[in-house]
Amino acid sequence: MEGKDLVIIGAGPIGLACGIEAQKAGLSYIILEKGCLVNSIYHYPLNMTFFSTSERLEIGNVPFISSSPKPTRSEALEYYRRVCTSWKLNVKLYEKVEAVKKEDRLFLIKTAKYNYQAKAVILALGFYDLPYLLDVEGEALPKVKHYYDEPHPYFGQKVAVIGAANSAVDVALETWRKGAEVTMIIRESSIRESVKYWVKPDIENRIKEGSIKAFFDSEVIRITPGTIEISTPVGNEILENDFVLAMTGYQPPFDFMKSMGITFHDDEYNTPVYDEETMESNVTGLYLGGVVCGGLKTNKWFIENSRVHAEIIISDLQRKMVVK
Ligand SMILES: Cc1cc2nc3c(=O)[nH]c(=O)nc-3n(C[C@H](O)[C@H](O)[C@H](O)COP(=O)(O)OP(=O)(O)OC[C@H]3O[C@@H](n4cnc5c(N)ncnc54)[C@H](O)[C@@H]3O)c2cc1C
């Protein structure tokens, strides 16, 4: 069993930032990642552009140069690879953490490959692994996708896009521009206010002119190989359909967090309990960093406003002498 001062779970931007701070502080640490480096970003749509400008995504004082002010997914992948190599971070990829248990004052971390012991643990788990399901008949059909990669497969196809937030809007516009026949099914009565201000008029005008069809106050009831049945304010409708792109959002791994003893506020977002001054959870020595801190409020934390968690956590660790 390998012993460390600190185990960081998740090699997203915030897990990497925590590794950098730990290294600067002289702590022995390891970052454990179940997939590839910055696994969530790797799974974002291929043509995605960040809404943040590149300098706001920087960590560890490594400059992020991109060809336009807002970087693309592939520029971000290249950037975080470079951060990892220039800081020589101790990252183990493709090693999923299956359990974290506190025994006495030490944490036992069990992965698919090894066991580790640590004096402190940071959970930088993100929220991109568990999509909200539609929970309707036919959802398991191969034509139903909860992740979107690129528009080409949808050329000439009847595509239903479910949702009204940024991802759904981006997917509807991109697939329509590449030749899909797009219908949006939207539970609310309008496109979300939180949609990027430079994109919102685009989708609203495409809907107004009828290029993209939209059913508001409507929900999916059933999916079959050739159709989608929806409820609308004027009754149920059955639409011909080839693909369903369910862009209904994602949620943090609550069960995994609960299994470690983390408790949650009784609020609408199921916000995990942590001290905002230190990022320490209700379990002493177990810290939360990055977007996982927002619970179901997945638009509260981003890379740009949560990269500071790394410094806060490591200075608290040093101050409390949890790690000697
Ligand atoms: C389409 C899209 C666009 C975005 N654009 C922006 C933007 O422009 N600006 C911005 O600031 N933010 C943006 N965000 C948000 C931002 O990308 C994410 O918030 C960011 O990736 C969060 O970083 P993180 O390190 O907290 O979590 P993540 O990047 O999600 O990293 C979590 C990591 O933990 C790993 N993991 C999970 N469970 C385990 C386990 N059991 N064992 C081991 N590893 C595990 C995951 O594989 C993942 O690599 C965007 C998000 C999306 C979805």
Side-chain angles (χ1 to χ4, degrees):
M1 173 146 15
E2 222 178 306
K4 296 280 176 209
D5 290 330
L6 172 65
V7 163
I8 299 160
I9 308 178
I14 309 309
L16 297 180
C18 290
I20 293 168
E21 291 306 317
Q23 197 156 300
K24 278 160 58 179
L27 305 180
S28 66
Y29 73 94
I30 190 164
I31 306 173
L32 300 172
E33 166 57 55
K34 74 183 172 75
C36 58
L37 192 76
V38 289
N39 193 43
S40 302
I41 295 176
Y42 174 71
H43 285 99
Y44 288 170
L46 294 189
N47 301 326
M48 168 253 186
T49 301
F50 280 81
F51 58 76
S52 305
T53 48
S54 49
E55 80 283 357
R56 289 171 175 264
L57 304 176
E58 285 174 0
I59 54 174
N61 289 322
V62 178
F64 188 168
I65 314 292
S66 55
S67 49
S68 45
K70 295 179 183 196
T72 63
R73 165 188 168 277
S74 65
E75 286 173 322
L77 293 178
E78 176 156 7
Y79 172 72
Y80 291 114
R81 285 197 300 270
R82 201 150 48 80
V83 168
C84 194
T85 31
S86 54
W87 277 94
K88 297 188 178 60
L89 293 177
N90 188 19
V91 185
K92 289 265 183 80
L93 301 173
Y94 304 102
E95 189 167 340
K96 181 176 181 175
V97 175
E98 294 174 339
V100 176
K101 219 164 117 189
K102 194 166 183 195
E103 278 179 358
D104 213 1
R105 291 171 62 196
L106 288 178
F107 290 91
L108 181 67
I109 299 102
K110 190 180 167 316
T111 77
K113 294 180 182 167
Y114 303 106
N115 290 335
Y116 301 84
Q117 235 177 19
K119 297 171 188 166
V121 171
I122 300 175
L123 302 180
L125 300 169
F127 60 72
Y128 207 53
D129 289 330
L130 290 176
Y132 279 105
L133 298 181
L134 300 170
D135 214 9
V136 297
E137 189 184 322
E139 186 163 19
L141 287 167
K143 73 170 193 172
V144 182
K145 318 269 180 204
H146 292 93
Y147 293 89
Y148 168 79
D149 43 16
E150 56 172 328
H152 180 77
Y154 307 108
F155 170 78
Q157 301 298 292
K158 292 184 170 55
V159 173
V161 177
I162 320 298
N166 274 303
S167 300
V169 166
D170 286 347
V171 167
L173 287 168
E174 188 174 74
T175 50
W176 171 71
R177 292 215 154 91
K178 302 295 176 192
E181 193 184 307
V182 178
T183 303
M184 295 185 79
I185 319 293
I186 297 171
R187 226 170 23 185
E188 298 87 348
S189 52
S190 61
I191 293 292
R192 288 253 185 99
E193 281 310 314
S194 58
V195 167
K196 292 167 278 199
Y197 66 86
W198 60 97
V199 177
K200 198 160 174 272
D202 190 4
I203 187 70
E204 286 172 341
N205 288 333
R206 300 297 75 74
I207 291 173
K208 214 180 286 169
E209 73 192 16
S211 306
I212 291 177
K213 216 171 181 186
F215 288 91
F216 291 99
D217 300 305
S218 300
E219 289 193 49
V220 180
I221 304 174
R222 184 176 302 111
I223 303 166
T224 72
T227 66
I228 180 168
E229 187 174 345
I230 60 172
S231 68
T232 79
V234 290
N236 292 1
E237 289 218 28
I238 296 178
L239 313 173
E240 281 182 44
N241 171 266
D242 300 309
F243 286 99
V244 177
L245 302 178
M247 300 293 110
T248 41
Y250 306 91
Q251 50 186 312
F254 290 121
D255 288 344
F256 186 45
M257 295 164 77
K258 274 183 205 153
S259 73
M260 302 171 201
I262 291 180
T263 54
F264 296 84
H265 291 285
D266 189 17
D267 59 15
E268 61 180 309
Y269 302 117
N270 217 13
T271 313
V273 171
Y274 64 91
D275 180 341
E276 287 181 15
E277 307 271 291
T278 64
M279 309 309 292
E280 191 176 31
S281 74
N282 59 294
V283 180
T284 306
L286 182 55
Y287 290 79
L288 300 176
V291 299
V292 76
C293 300
L296 294 174
K297 194 164 172 45
T298 51
N299 61 357
K300 175 170 180 183
W301 295 108
F302 306 105
I303 302 168
E304 51 171 282
N305 66 358
S306 71
R307 55 190 175 162
V308 295
H309 292 170
E311 272 175 57
I312 298 173
I313 295 170
I314 301 300
S315 47
D316 188 61
L317 268 175
Q318 291 182 297
R319 193 172 55 81
K320 285 187 178 151
M321 305 291 284
V322 172
V323 180
K324 296 201 177 105

